[in-house]
Amino acid sequence: QNDFNSKEFVSMASGLKYTLFLTKTGDVYVSGYWGNTLYKEPTLIQNFKNIAGKIENNLKIVQIASGVSHFLLVSKEGRIFSGGSNVY
């Protein structure tokens, strides 16, 4: 079950067809077109936590930013995660 409505949000960032939401606890949700998928409801994303084949469950995101078709996430430890359409 999606518990989006019960979260406390500290930031949001929008691209051309998607919006990212950052919770106080460091979770990131997406709504809209994310890659080739349409998320009609805000959905928790966690695929960036798979780092070199190792899942990092304690990773806390503290800052988000996005452009037309790319995004950046910054973790509490200072790691930067990025992604996008790879079209320029």
Side-chain angles (χ1 to χ4, degrees):
Q1 180 181 4
N2 191 343
D3 59 347
F4 179 80
N5 292 329
S6 66
K7 298 292 182 180
E8 184 176 340
F9 295 93
V10 294
S11 183
M12 75 178 233
S14 295
L16 181 63
K17 297 181 180 181
Y18 69 92
T19 303
L20 297 176
F21 305 90
L22 176 63
T23 69
K24 187 176 184 178
T25 59
D27 292 326
V28 180
Y29 286 78
V30 64
S31 182
Y33 279 100
W34 180 261
N36 294 323
T37 304
L38 171 60
Y39 294 98
K40 292 182 180 180
E41 298 290 327
T43 303
L44 180 65
I45 58 171
Q46 300 187 62
N47 56 342
F48 62 89
K49 292 184 178 184
N50 185 349
I51 302 168
K54 179 183 175 190
I55 303 295
E56 300 216 8
N57 289 319
N58 295 325
L59 191 62
K60 181 179 179 183
I61 300 301
V62 295
Q63 188 173 5
I64 59 175
S66 63
V68 172
S69 59
H70 67 280
F71 68 91
L72 297 167
L73 309 174
V74 181
S75 75
K76 183 178 179 181
E77 298 79 19
R79 290 179 168 170
I80 298 173
F81 301 89
S82 66
S85 67
N86 291 325
V87 176
Y88 51 93

